[in-house]
Amino acid sequence: MTDRQNRAGSKFGGGGMASTANAERDRKERLRQLALESVDLAKDPYLMRNHLGSYECKLCLTLHTNEANYLAHTQGKKHQAGLARRAAMEKKR
């Protein structure tokens, strides 16, 4: 029988150490909630949900498994360059 009260890193009454996977999942959920507060996906003209339940960016022609991945994509270089290119085309007209 092992002594579970005196494990390295655990505090008395702390309920044990949280796994890194749980901590990472919680962090991603908090970031997703923050992003959803600042960005309204319903008004995004480039977001499309396909029949498989994944998300597509019509501007960049990329597939994303969930909203968090799509939101991360919208902050990336490829999407931002596409938006700049689209704005330059609209300005030209």
Side-chain angles (χ1 to χ4, degrees):
M1 184 172 206
T2 60
D3 183 13
R4 297 195 180 268
Q5 290 182 348
N6 296 319
R7 290 183 299 194
S10 67
K11 296 179 182 177
F12 179 73
M17 295 187 304
S19 71
T20 56
N22 286 343
E24 183 68 16
R25 186 173 36 242
D26 291 342
R27 186 184 70 79
K28 284 184 179 181
E29 181 60 27
R30 283 194 314 273
L31 289 174
R32 186 179 78 80
Q33 290 298 330
L34 272 173
L36 287 175
E37 288 173 6
S38 62
V39 176
D40 188 11
L41 290 178
K43 294 180 182 177
D44 190 342
Y46 305 114
L47 175 65
M48 184 178 84
R49 189 165 178 153
N50 66 14
H51 67 285
L52 298 173
S54 59
Y55 296 86
E56 294 183 38
C57 176
K58 294 190 282 185
L59 179 65
C60 306
L61 302 176
T62 55
L63 283 173
H64 307 279
T65 55
N66 55 35
E67 291 174 349
N69 287 350
Y70 177 76
L71 289 169
H73 161 74
T74 60
Q75 303 301 311
K77 285 182 190 175
K78 185 174 182 176
H79 191 80
Q80 293 298 320
L83 288 175
R85 197 169 43 250
R86 178 66 58 102
M89 286 176 53
E90 292 295 323
K91 192 175 181 181
K92 212 176 198 182
R93 288 183 184 182

